[in-house]
Every structure is written in structure tokens, then in C-alpha cells.
Amino acid sequence: RAPGMRGVAAALCALLLARGSDASACAHLNNCNSHGTCDETNRVCRCFDGFGSESDLAVYKAPDCSQRVCPADKAWVDIPTGATTAHNNAECSNAGICDRGTGRCRCFAGFEGDACQRSSCPNGCSGHGKCVSMSQMAGEANAFPVGPATTYGGFESTVTWDENKIFGCVCDSIWTVGFGAGQTQATSWFGADCSQRRCPSGDDASTELRDETDCSYYTDNGETWHGAVLSDGTPDRANPGTGVTGTLGVDFGAVGNKCHVDCSNRGICDRTSGLCKCFRGYYGQNCGLRSALAKGEA
């Protein structure tokens, strides 16, 4: 073969090799596994969204685009970067493990959502309540403690970052809950998971000076008095409104508002069945009736 022809052949071979090199610039990365494009200049993959793109948030990104990334949301825990700057977005909200094969978060116990961004409600509220965010709970009449309507939220990037992350149960009630006349300051179902039920309520038959079911001027289902007091510090029920600040039916129980008193304080409430087991000398569904056997009590 002539020397000139050998030179032409060598040039053609070099050109073919160069083209072959360009075509397989990402061969060592399995050509990005069809989940990205090859940057032939730098011989690296530029992965598509969901497979490790530059905009994806992930603890780990496979250089060959072979593994998925998982959804991200505000982190439950992270390192703050300022006095009011924390909870940056993180994969699985830093409350779960990303399954790189499916791109789905495996949330730790107590967390749920596609990015583990919500706390779970215990036992799904047992079928006797609804699972709501703190933001929604603030305006729920059945939420505890019973009180004036309020709000929580509006500053999700700073102080109320958890307004749509922390969830809890608001329990059902067969009667109306609130501070108004005819309303009761307790729900019929209660507990963190709404699994407990109240027993029939009634006035304690062994007391004469007070109707325990009267929640006028009270909050906390009869635990906290907001009316006037006598010189000895006891409630002045004869003139409860004297010198009192606050609004009846808004800040505390209105006249006619009810406290719930399980078994009239004269029995044990079975929280599973909602039935009373009355003490000796008392009877009735709410143990509100007194028999001769109870006479002589102190």
C-alpha cells in the first residue's frame, strides 16, 4: 500500500475513534440509564427530575441516574441557620428513609404523607373523631381546651412552620360543645385517640350547695372559676358577675352552660362501654338517684 494511502487510512481511523468516543462518552455510566442526558464534554450525566437533577433535594444522587430521589418537605429536625430560620426542605422531611428503587419514602413510626411531612393521628382517631392539622384545630369547637375561636398560622416560613405538619384528633360528640347556654364543656368521646367515651352526666345527689353540672362562669369543664369571689376566696355564686372581666359564653360558660359530670361523681365510669357502676346507695343510669342505703354519709 502506498505511503499516502496509509496516511489517509490512519486519519479515517482516528476520526471514527473520535466519533465512537463521543457516542459513548457516558458508557461508563451506562449512558445515564435513560434517566438523563450525557454531558459529553465533561463525561457526566445530567439526570432528569426525580432521578437526581440539580433541583432535586436528596441525601444521595446516583451519578448514573439509576436511582430515584424521594419527595421533600419541611424538615422536622435540622440545623438552624438563623434565629428564626430552620426546617429547610429535606428528603422525606428527615423523618423517613428513601427507597431508591421506587422513589417513595418509608416513614418512621408516627409520621405519614408522601414526604413524611405529617404527624400521624393515634389509632386513626378510633373512628370517633377526625384527624386535623393544628391550623384547622385552632378553629374547631370540639378541640380542647374549649375556648374562644382562635387561629394558628400565617407564618409558615418562620414561627408557625408546623401549622400543617402536626396533626391531632378532634373527637366527635353527640351533644354540642362550647361555652354557650345549653352547650357542654366536654365531648362525648375523648382521649388522644378518641377511644374513650363518657358516661351519663348528672348533679351529685350528695351535695346541696352546688349543682356540679352548672358551668356558668367556669372553664375547663368546671375546674376553673372566672366569676366573683368571696372574702375567703370561694366562688360568689349569688353575685357571680360582680367586677368580672370577660364575656359570658365567649371567655367562660354562659348562664345555662353545662359541665359534664360522669356518673354524678357517685360511680365509676367504664370508658369502653360508657356505662356507670354506681357506688353503694346510688342508682340510675347516671348514679344520680340516692337510696336509703346512702343515708348517714358525711
Side-chain angles (χ1 to χ4, degrees), residues 3-296:
M5 293 299 294
R6 284 198 295 270
V8 172
L12 287 172
C13 286
L15 179 61
L16 290 171
L17 286 171
R19 288 183 175 177
S21 177
D22 288 343
S24 60
C26 291
H28 62 296
L29 297 172
N30 200 30
N31 292 319
C32 306
N33 290 286
S34 299
H35 299 310
T37 59
C38 180
D39 180 337
E40 295 183 352
T41 301
N42 297 298
R43 298 172 63 84
V44 295
C45 291
R46 305 298 181 191
C47 300
F48 299 146
D49 288 347
F51 289 90
S53 70
E54 291 184 2
S55 62
D56 281 337
L57 290 174
V59 175
Y60 171 76
K61 297 179 182 180
D64 62 355
C65 310
S66 63
Q67 298 188 38
R68 301 290 300 267
V69 300
C70 287
D73 207 290
K74 287 183 176 64
W76 286 98
V77 290
D78 67 354
I79 298 174
T81 56
T84 59
T85 307
H87 306 285
N88 291 314
N89 283 352
E91 192 174 33
C92 300
S93 307
N94 283 345
I97 301 297
C98 180
D99 184 326
R100 300 291 172 199
T102 63
R104 295 181 178 179
C105 294
R106 296 199 303 268
C107 301
F108 301 145
F111 299 93
E112 61 183 43
D114 60 346
C116 309
Q117 74 273 23
R118 300 189 303 270
S119 62
S120 303
C121 283
N123 295 326
C125 303
S126 307
H128 299 299
K130 57 184 178 181
C131 184
V132 300
S133 67
M134 285 207 301
S135 176
Q136 183 178 347
M137 190 179 292
E140 289 281 338
N142 284 15
F144 279 88
V146 174
T150 186
T151 59
Y152 181 79
F155 302 94
E156 201 166 2
S157 62
T158 55
V159 293
T160 61
W161 66 274
D162 53 0
E163 63 182 83
N164 291 309
K165 292 180 72 66
I166 295 180
F167 279 62
C169 294
V170 174
C171 301
D172 296 335
S173 185
I174 60 175
W175 52 74
T176 305
V177 177
F179 285 155
Q183 296 179 334
T184 302
Q185 292 188 23
T187 52
S188 54
W189 292 91
F190 71 104
D193 62 353
C194 303
S195 63
Q196 301 183 70
R197 63 189 302 181
R198 300 195 189 273
C199 288
S201 175
D203 180 29
D204 189 338
S206 68
T207 63
E208 297 179 357
L209 298 180
R210 180 191 170 192
D211 178 357
E212 282 79 10
T213 65
D214 182 1
C215 248
S216 305
Y217 291 92
Y218 276 99
T219 59
D220 305 316
N221 196 37
E223 294 294 326
T224 306
W225 172 256
H226 294 271
V229 294
L230 299 172
S231 58
D232 62 359
T234 58
D236 183 358
R237 294 191 177 88
N239 303 286
T242 304
V244 173
T245 58
T247 304
L248 277 169
V250 176
D251 300 304
F252 37 77
V255 174
N257 187 241
K258 295 295 183 181
C259 300
H260 188 88
V261 184
D262 281 320
C263 306
S264 308
N265 285 337
R266 291 296 144 184
I268 301 298
C269 178
D270 184 324
R271 299 299 184 191
T272 301
S273 66
L275 299 177
C276 293
K277 182 178 181 180
C278 301
F279 299 148
R280 184 175 180 270
Y282 296 87
Y283 63 100
Q285 285 189 335
N286 65 355
C287 305
L289 300 174
R290 188 178 183 185
S291 73
L293 294 174
K295 290 183 179 181

